[in-house]
C-alpha cells in the first residue's frame, strides 16, 4: 500500500435567506454604507433570524447538501468535525447534534475551536486522521452564527459579522501529489486582550451583571487585530509558498479568511497575485468566522480544476493563524 493522501472530494454550503444591508444597519447605529465599505468592504451579510435555530442548523444544511452532491452513503462516513466559535450549547458539541440530525450511524464527532482559523486548523487535523489509515472519509464543517455574539449597538463591530456554514468531504487516496500537501499553523497566545468575549466562560460565568453590562458579545480592538492579521496572514502565505516552490506563476488561487477587504488585498500584494485569483465573499457574506474559507470554496467550486495550487490562510482570536497548501483533486462541479 502506497502513501495515503487526504483530498477534498466535494463542497456543500448554506447561508440564511435574510440579508442585513448596510442601509438597515445605519438605522440601528451611527454608521453608513460608505463608512463600512471604505473600512472593511462589506455590503451585506446573511443573518439566521429564525428563533430557536443555531449553528448546528446551518452546519446540518451544508452537510446534507454535501452528502447529496457527492452521492456518499451516510453509513460510510467515519467522522464529522465542526469548527465553530458559536456552538449551540456549552455542551454537547455542535458536531454531535449534526450527526444525530443527519442519522450518521458510524461517525464519531467533535468540535474544534480555533476562532476564525478553525477551518485551516481542522483540515490539517482531518488530513492526519486520513493519512493514519484508520479513517477513509470525514466531513469537515466550518459554521458560525456570529449574529448571536454581535452587539448591534456597537458601531465598531456590528457591521463585520454574518452567519453561514460550509462543509467539505475529505477522503483517502493513494494518488500521488494531490490533496493537502503542507500546513504552517501557529498560535501567538498573546491575543486575549485584543479579541475576546468578556463573559460566559469559567473565568466570568453568566450573571445579571454580565448581561446588564453587555459582556456576552464580541469585543475587538480593531487596529491591533488588523495589524497582526495583515502581518501574519501575509507572512504565513509567503512562507508556505517558498517552502513548496510556489510562485505567482504557479499559484492558481488564494483563499484568505474574510475579515477585512484591506487585509485580503495586502495578502494578494505580498504574493504578487492579481485579485482575480483571490477568492472573495466578504462583500456579500461579511465575516462568518470559521465558515469564510469553506464558503469561498463552495462559491468558487465550479471554477476549480484538478491540479490547481491553492493557498488558504486565516487569522483569528488567540491569536491563531496559518496557511494550508492544497492541490485540488477534481474539476469543479
Amino acid at each position: 500500500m502506497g502513501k495515503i493522501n487526504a483530498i477534498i472530494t466535494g463542497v456543500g454550503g448554506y447561508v440564511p435567506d435574510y440579508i442585513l444591508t448596510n442601509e438597515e444597519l445605519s438605522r440601528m447605529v451611527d454608521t453608513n454604507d460608505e463608512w463600512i465599505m471604505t473600512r472593511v468592504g462589506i455590503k451585506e451579510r446573511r443573518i439566521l433570524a429564525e428563533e430557536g435555530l443555531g449553528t448546528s442548523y446551518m452546519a446540518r444544511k451544508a452537510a446534507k447538501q454535501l452528502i447529496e452532491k457527492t452521492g456518499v452513503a451516510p453509513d460510510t462516513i467515519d467522522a464529522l468535525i465542526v469548527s465553530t466559535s458559536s456552538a449551540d450549547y456549552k455542551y454537547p458539541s455542535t458536531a454531535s447534534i449534526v450527526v444525530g440530525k443527519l442519522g450518521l450511524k458510524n461517525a464519531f464527532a467533535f468540535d474544534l475551536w480555533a476562532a476564525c482559523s478553525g477551518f485551516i486548523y481542522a483540515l490539517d487535523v482531518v488530513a492526519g486522521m486520513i493519512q493514519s489509515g484508520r479513517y477513509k472519509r470525514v466531513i469537515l464543517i466550518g459554521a458560525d452564527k456570529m449574529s448571536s455574539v454581535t452587539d448591534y449597538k456597537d458601531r465598531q463591530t456590528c457591521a463585520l459579522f454574518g452567519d453561514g456554514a460550509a462543509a467539505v468531504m475529505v477522503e483517502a487516496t493513494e494518488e500521488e501529489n494531490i490533496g493537502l500537501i503542507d500546513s504552517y499553523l501557529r498560535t501567538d497566545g498573546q491575543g486575549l486582550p485584543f479579541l475576546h468575549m468578556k463573559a460566559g466562560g469559567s473565568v466570568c460565568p453568566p450573571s445579571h451583571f454580565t448581561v446588564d453590562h453587555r459582556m456576552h458579545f464580541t469585543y475587538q480592538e480593531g487596529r491591533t487585530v488588523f495589524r497582526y492579521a495583515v502581518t501574519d496572514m501575509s507572512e504565513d502565505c509567503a512562507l508556505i509558498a517558498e517552502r513548496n516552490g510556489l510562485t505567482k506563476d504557479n499559484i492558481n488561487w488564494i483563499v484568505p479568511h474574510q475579515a477585512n477587504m484591506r487585509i485580503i488585498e495586502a495578502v494578494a500584494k505580498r504574493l504578487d497575485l492579481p485579485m482575480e485569483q483571490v477568492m472573495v465573499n466578504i462583500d456579500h457574506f461579511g465575516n462568518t468566522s470559521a465558515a469564510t474559507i469553506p464558503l469561498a470554496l463552495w462559491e468558487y467550486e465550479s471554477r476549480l480544476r484538478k491540479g490547481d495550487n491553492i493557498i488558504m490562510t486565516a487569522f483569528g482570536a488567540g491569536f491563531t493563524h496559518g496557511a494550508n497548501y492544497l492541490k485540488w483533486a477534481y474539476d469543479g462541479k
Side-chain angles (χ1 to χ4, degrees), residues 281-314:
N281 61 27
I282 189 172
D283 55 319
H284 52 280
F285 289 157
N287 181 351
T288 55
S289 192
T292 68
I293 288 176
L295 274 174
L297 293 174
W298 177 57
E299 284 198 289
Y300 283 77
E301 184 188 20
S302 64
R303 298 167 63 179
L304 300 179
R305 294 293 171 263
K306 183 172 182 177
D308 278 358
N309 290 317
I310 299 172
I311 294 178
M312 304 186 292
T313 184

Side-chain angles (χ1 to χ4, degrees), residues 13 78 84 115 133 151 204 210 218 235 251:
D78 297 316
T84 186
D151 185 353
C204 185
T210 64
T218 298
E235 290 185 356
I251 297 172

Side-chain angles (χ1 to χ4, degrees), residues 102-149:
L102 292 175
L104 305 184
K105 305 296 186 193
N106 298 314
F108 74 99
F110 62 92
D111 292 353
L112 189 148
W113 202 353
C116 298
S117 302
F119 183 81
I120 66 168
Y121 272 39
L123 183 61
D124 194 69
V125 170
V126 171
M129 292 168 61
I130 296 286
Q131 289 160 353
S132 76
R134 293 200 300 276
Y135 311 98
K136 292 183 170 57
R137 184 172 284 151
V138 178
I139 291 177
L140 169 58
I141 307 170
D144 269 301
K145 184 182 176 182
M146 293 304 294
S147 64
S148 67
V149 292

Side-chain angles (χ1 to χ4, degrees), residues 90 192 196-207 210 215-216:
K90 284 290 183 185
L192 173 61
H196 60 267
M197 186 187 294
K198 294 180 183 296
S202 60
V203 166
C204 185
S207 67
T210 64
M215 295 168 66
H216 294 268

